[in-house]
Amino acid sequence: MAKSSADDAELKRLCEAAIEGTKQKIVMSIRVAKSRGIWGKTNRLGRGHMPKARVLAISTKAKPQRTKAFLRVLKYSSGGVLEPAKLYKLKHLSKVELVSNDPSGCSFMLGFDNLRSQSVAPPQWTMRNVDDRNRLLLCILNICKEMLGRLPKVIGIDIVEMALWAKENTTTVTTQEKPQDGPVASIVTGDDLKVTVERDLVSQAEEEDMEALLGTYLMGISEAEAFSERLKRELLALEAANVHAILETEPLIDEVLQGLESASICVEDMDEWLTIFNMKLRHMREDIESIETRNNKLEMQSFNNKALTEELDKLLQRLCIPSEYSACLTDGSFDEAHMPRNVEACEWLTAALRSLDVDVDPAYARIRAVKEKQAELKIIKSTFVRRASEFLRNYFATLVDFMTSDKSYFSQRGQLKRPDHADLRYQCRTYARLLQHLKILDKTCLDPLRKAYCHSLNLLLRREAREFANELRASTKATRNPTVWLEASTGPSVTVNNADTSMVSEAYAKMLTVFIPLLVDESSFLSHFLCFEVPALVPTGDPTNGRTSQSNVDDSDDDDLGIMDIDDNVGKHGNSSSIDLGSLNGFLQDLLDGIQEDFYAVVDWAYKIDPLRCISMHGITERYISGQKADAAGFVRLLLDELESRISMLYNRFVDEACHQIERYERNVRQMGVLSYIPR
């Protein structure tokens, strides 16, 4: 007998190499031919069903509690190397069926109960000979019995014949043993297999019954031919009896055939009905899918519409202009009692413009309603800015006219009055928040308002300075000293008149004491009130500003506008600060322009009374200049510099005149010494 592929060690090694890494051990491997077959029907070979070379391998995998067994199908790759193709678990093996139309008995099919489609034709395996078939099937049945505790259904194969074959053949096959600590794989010889097969496939009682049955028909071990002839005769007798019985039951057979025919008709009708129902169900399924699709679209559309409605509601709330704000902005009053409502309306207008210009979504910016609402808000803004600017210009002029028409605000004959702008600033402070909002809404409207404020307040300051200077000169009683320096040389009998003129210097100092702090405060108030983004002009509590303690008490709240100080935002607006500082200096010049003439008049008056008072006035001026260096009130510092220059110029004129007198008289008059010059 040719060597079986089950004994091919090289084949077994190739199989183990193909499943390397799976922790499985090959028990048996054998070459087979694979083709397609159908349970109980003849397999017809064609172009699509040509046999294919395969290798069946039985493998096991040890687990702590049990051992798993597998049937592997391996195929040859294009390079002739074995590679895994299929994997079956032997625990799902339910049937082993011998192919009936194969006269050699080498073809069989294996049925597994876990296949997804039982209607698909299972593979048909063809062995080289019956010995290979028996060797593989015995190994499979043996493993199923030992590991699974059950045997699959065997069809077309005589178990007894296989048991006898196992006794006659002594080849090495693989079986399983179960020691105490778990099942392990082991290799047994043919002698051991005989006992295993007899024990597993045929029990002791069955073996005894079989021997008794064989003893009935066999006369001896050498009478096998006689026994075979006897079996043939009995088989012919049984077939004849079966044919006779069939002929006797012909009416019953006809009745059964009629029943089968009617059943076939019913089955065909039922198949037709099922086909119709299947078509209707398919149409219903398509309709349901279409309905579900439309329903999903409707749900999505409903969700989107809801979200769109919410967004549009929010947009409408932003686009809606409250009637009270609209009336206040377009036709409201600017009286002091209505200012909180005007400020509230300005805040709303600023927020609405920002929400439509900056915060609005770009998709909304193209909507016509948004564009129309933007245009409407801009019209309201321009209307409000125009009305507010016109009101403030008239208000500044009216407020200053009212103060200038009341003489009690100014110095009068016999009474010097310190200018007090507390009430003026209080009334202006009412509209500070309005100016802040005007700057946010339209920055260009501030310059005309600043010019109007500076013009109106300049008239008031010049009037106050003129009245104060006139009354100061009138109330100061000082004797004018002669300007003749050489009167002592004419003779010792002439008396020198040395009158005290210190009150002239005191009058000049009083003029500076009153007006320099006032001008600095007005400059600081201007920068805050008219929204210049510059540092604070006068630091709070600065002792160098020349104010008395009483004036500090009176004016401690003069710069408190009730709004955020400008110097809080210097760091945030560094670029615009320098621009506003230049603009502020220009408006300060408009505010204080012309007031220097009254200071010049006081200096000229003091010079005429006593030219030597220029020395004390120069010291007073120098002290104020050093005190104002820390301030940003540029025009006030320029005013002090001009006063210092004028005093120096007058004093230089006096020195030049004195020198001229000495040069003129020293040629004609006899020098009498320097004693007469010492008192002067």
Side-chain angles (χ1 to χ4, degrees):
M1 183 176 62
K3 182 180 179 180
S4 174
S5 60
D7 300 328
D8 191 349
E10 180 65 20
L11 179 62
K12 186 175 180 181
R13 187 187 64 78
L14 294 175
C15 293
E16 289 178 348
I19 64 171
E20 184 178 3
T22 61
K23 297 182 180 181
Q24 297 181 12
K25 183 177 180 181
I26 300 297
V27 177
M28 174 182 284
S29 59
I30 192 167
R31 293 185 179 90
V32 298
K34 175 187 175 183
S35 58
R36 279 292 168 190
I38 302 177
W39 298 113
K41 293 189 178 181
T42 302
N43 180 29
R44 298 178 181 178
L45 297 178
R47 295 184 62 185
H49 299 279
M50 294 299 293
K52 300 176 182 178
R54 295 290 186 268
V55 174
L56 290 181
I58 299 174
S59 63
T60 59
K61 184 177 183 180
K63 293 285 185 176
Q65 301 296 331
R66 56 191 176 87
T67 300
K68 293 185 176 182
F70 304 93
L71 177 65
R72 284 188 169 274
V73 181
L74 297 97
K75 65 180 181 178
Y76 290 94
S77 64
S78 59
V81 180
L82 282 178
E83 59 181 18
K86 293 283 187 178
L87 176 67
Y88 301 97
K89 294 182 179 180
L90 287 182
K91 68 178 183 179
H92 295 296
L93 182 62
S94 60
K95 180 168 59 175
V96 179
E97 180 178 351
L98 194 68
V99 178
S100 59
N101 64 329
D102 185 5
S104 66
C106 297
S107 300
F108 62 92
M109 290 183 289
L110 301 176
F112 293 88
D113 56 9
N114 65 332
L115 296 181
R116 286 178 293 181
S117 177
Q118 296 291 339
S119 62
V120 177
Q124 176 179 305
W125 310 103
T126 303
M127 316 298 290
R128 293 175 58 187
N129 49 52
V130 177
D131 291 336
D132 286 352
R133 183 205 71 182
N134 290 340
R135 183 175 268 181
L136 177 64
L137 294 182
L138 277 173
C139 185
I140 293 175
L141 294 175
N142 208 15
I143 290 177
C144 290
K145 183 67 176 178
E146 288 188 2
M147 294 187 179
L148 306 178
R150 64 175 182 82
L151 288 174
K153 184 178 180 182
V154 181
I155 301 175
I157 302 175
D158 192 351
I159 298 297
V160 177
E161 181 182 351
M162 292 184 64
L164 294 175
W165 179 88
K167 289 181 179 182
E168 295 175 359
N169 293 272
T170 56
T171 57
T172 302
V173 296
T174 303
T175 184
Q176 298 288 328
E177 296 180 0
K178 295 184 179 179
Q180 294 295 333
D181 55 350
V184 296
S186 62
I187 306 298
V188 297
T189 62
D191 295 336
D192 296 332
L193 185 61
K194 294 177 186 177
V195 179
T196 303
V197 172
E198 291 176 358
R199 184 177 67 249
D200 292 342
L201 301 182
V202 183
S203 63
Q204 184 66 30
E206 291 174 343
E207 186 177 359
E208 292 176 357
D209 293 341
M210 191 182 303
E211 290 178 355
L213 180 61
L214 291 175
T216 304
Y217 292 97
L218 294 177
M219 302 305 172
I221 194 63
S222 61
E223 297 179 0
E225 294 181 359
F227 177 68
S228 178
E229 291 295 332
R230 184 175 177 179
L231 286 178
K232 289 181 180 179
R233 288 195 302 272
E234 290 181 359
L235 180 60
L236 292 174
L238 287 174
E239 289 179 352
N242 289 337
V243 171
H244 181 70
I246 289 173
L247 292 176
E248 288 181 350
T249 58
E250 183 178 0
L252 296 176
I253 292 174
D254 292 339
E255 186 176 349
V256 171
L257 290 175
Q258 290 178 1
L260 290 175
E261 186 176 358
S262 61
S264 176
I265 295 173
C266 292
V267 169
E268 290 178 357
D269 294 341
M270 187 175 295
D271 181 66
E272 186 176 355
W273 294 343
L274 290 176
T275 302
I276 296 173
F277 291 155
N278 187 26
M279 185 179 297
K280 291 183 178 181
L281 288 175
R282 187 173 66 252
H283 292 164
M284 291 177 63
R285 185 163 53 250
E286 293 175 355
D287 294 340
I288 291 173
E289 291 177 355
S290 176
I291 292 172
E292 289 180 350
T293 302
R294 291 197 299 269
N295 187 35
N296 293 336
K297 291 181 179 179
L298 289 175
E299 289 181 357
M300 181 63 69
Q301 185 177 0
S302 175
F303 177 79
N304 292 337
N305 288 338
K306 184 178 179 181
L308 179 60
T309 302
E310 293 176 356
E311 289 295 326
L312 291 177
D313 289 340
K314 295 178 182 178
L315 183 61
L316 287 175
Q317 291 178 0
R318 294 163 63 180
L319 296 180
C320 179
I321 302 177
S323 57
E324 60 274 15
Y325 290 156
S326 178
C328 182
L329 293 170
T330 56
D331 196 24
S333 173
F334 290 99
D335 294 340
E336 183 177 353
H338 295 85
M339 283 313 299
R341 191 157 191 82
N342 288 331
V343 170
E344 183 180 355
C346 287
E347 292 175 350
W348 174 87
L349 180 61
T350 303
L353 288 171
R354 184 184 299 111
S355 65
L356 290 182
D357 292 340
V358 180
D359 301 335
V360 70
D361 191 281
Y364 295 155
R366 296 190 295 269
I367 299 178
R368 186 177 65 181
V370 175
K371 294 180 179 179
E372 292 176 354
K373 192 58 63 175
Q374 287 177 336
E376 184 178 355
L377 289 177
K378 289 179 180 178
I379 292 174
I380 293 177
K381 180 190 74 173
S382 60
T383 302
F384 177 76
V385 169
R386 177 181 52 79
R387 292 178 58 249
S389 300
E390 183 178 356
F391 168 78
L392 289 175
R393 285 196 300 270
N394 296 333
Y395 179 77
F396 295 150
T398 303
L399 188 61
V400 171
D401 290 343
F402 171 76
M403 294 183 67
T404 53
S405 63
D406 190 353
K407 294 183 179 181
S408 62
Y409 280 100
F410 308 102
S411 299
Q412 301 178 18
R413 182 176 297 276
Q415 180 183 4
L416 278 176
K417 185 174 180 62
R418 178 190 299 271
D420 185 9
H421 291 181
D423 185 61
L424 171 67
R425 294 176 189 171
Y426 174 79
Q427 296 188 45
C428 290
R429 204 174 289 126
T430 305
Y431 300 95
R433 291 298 297 270
L434 179 62
L435 284 169
Q436 288 280 341
H437 286 288
L438 287 177
K439 178 181 179 181
I440 297 174
L441 294 174
D442 187 5
K443 197 171 184 178
T444 59
C445 73
L446 287 182
D447 284 347
L449 289 176
R450 292 166 177 171
K451 190 175 291 296
Y453 176 83
C454 292
H455 176 71
S456 299
L457 197 61
N458 178 261
L459 296 177
L460 178 63
L461 290 174
R462 291 178 62 183
R463 172 77 179 276
E464 290 174 339
R466 184 172 63 254
E467 297 291 345
F468 190 87
N470 292 337
E471 182 57 29
L472 184 65
R473 291 195 300 270
S475 62
T476 302
K477 305 299 182 180
T479 304
R480 182 174 181 179
N481 281 331
T483 59
V484 179
W485 281 79
L486 303 177
E487 68 277 8
S489 61
T490 59
S493 60
V494 180
T495 302
V496 179
N497 186 11
N498 294 325
D500 184 15
T501 58
S502 60
M503 68 285 298
V504 175
S505 301
E506 294 175 359
Y508 175 75
K510 190 171 186 178
M511 182 75 176
L512 295 184
T513 302
V514 171
F515 277 93
I516 294 302
L518 175 66
L519 298 182
V520 173
D521 288 344
E522 287 300 332
S523 300
S524 177
F525 182 80
L526 172 68
S527 66
H528 284 75
F529 179 60
L530 295 178
C531 308
F532 286 97
E533 295 178 0
V534 294
L537 296 183
V538 180
T540 303
D542 189 354
T544 62
N545 57 13
R547 284 189 252 186
T548 63
S549 60
Q550 182 62 35
S551 64
N552 285 337
V553 173
D554 295 339
D555 299 339
S556 60
D557 295 332
D558 284 352
D559 293 331
D560 183 11
L561 302 182
I563 58 177
M564 182 175 61
D565 289 341
I566 298 298
D567 53 350
D568 292 341
N569 280 340
V570 171
K572 300 179 183 177
H573 306 282
N575 294 333
S576 61
S577 176
S578 59
I579 299 175
D580 278 3
L581 187 58
S583 177
L584 173 62
N585 289 329
F587 283 108
L588 287 177
Q589 185 172 359
D590 293 341
L591 176 68
L592 306 178
D593 188 28
I595 198 172
Q596 67 271 19
E597 299 298 332
D598 297 299
F599 286 89
Y600 294 162
V602 173
V603 171
D604 295 342
W605 166 74
Y607 174 77
K608 291 177 182 179
I609 292 177
D610 189 357
L612 291 179
R613 285 302 157 189
C614 291
I615 300 174
S616 58
M617 288 191 297
H618 190 280
I620 294 171
T621 308
E622 182 67 27
R623 186 171 66 252
Y624 271 92
I625 290 176
S626 62
Q628 298 299 324
K629 283 182 180 179
D631 301 333
F635 192 79
V636 177
R637 190 166 59 251
L638 291 177
L639 174 62
L640 292 172
D641 290 339
E642 291 177 359
L643 285 175
E644 184 183 26
S645 300
R646 191 173 186 88
I647 292 171
S648 299
M649 183 266 295
L650 292 176
Y651 184 72
N652 290 332
R653 182 191 301 174
F654 162 72
V655 172
D656 292 339
E657 291 178 356
C659 292
H660 179 68
Q661 288 181 6
I662 293 173
E663 291 175 356
R664 187 176 59 180
Y665 287 105
E666 69 181 0
R667 290 191 299 267
N668 302 323
V669 180
R670 181 180 176 182
Q671 184 66 33
M672 300 300 293
V674 296
L675 292 177
S676 60
Y677 297 97
I678 291 176
R680 296 295 293 162

